[in-house]
Amino acid sequence: MLTTELRLAKEGIFPSIIVTGSPLCTPNVSLLSQVWYVDHSHVALSYQFFNKTKINLATNPDHWFA
């Protein structure tokens, strides 16, 4: 569940990052520059610079942390 504190952090009040791993567990760290609150358990992201992140999430969806 997205708490008020976490929502504020993800909406740009504090810098946010997302870390993903490839199928071989190679880490990839991306800064989240645009984040929009959708509901208590979802946020929407701009993925303009997320090519590796998108590939990692598609091929290894259980290995991410934000």
Side-chain angles (χ1 to χ4, degrees):
M1 180 181 293
L2 195 61
T3 64
T4 300
E5 293 81 9
L6 187 56
R7 178 180 170 186
L8 289 174
K10 298 299 178 199
E11 288 183 330
I13 303 300
F14 303 103
S16 298
I17 60 169
I18 185 169
V19 180
T20 59
S22 72
L24 298 176
C25 295
T26 303
N28 179 58
V29 179
S30 298
L31 295 175
L32 300 176
S33 59
Q34 295 178 318
V35 180
W36 297 274
Y37 175 78
V38 176
D39 62 34
H40 71 278
S41 61
H42 296 90
V43 294
L45 307 173
S46 167
Y47 60 86
Q48 182 177 4
F49 302 107
F50 279 6
N51 289 333
K52 275 188 178 181
T53 302
K54 286 174 30 180
I55 292 167
N56 288 348
L57 289 173
T59 59
N60 203 8
D62 295 329
H63 289 87
W64 68 275
F65 179 78

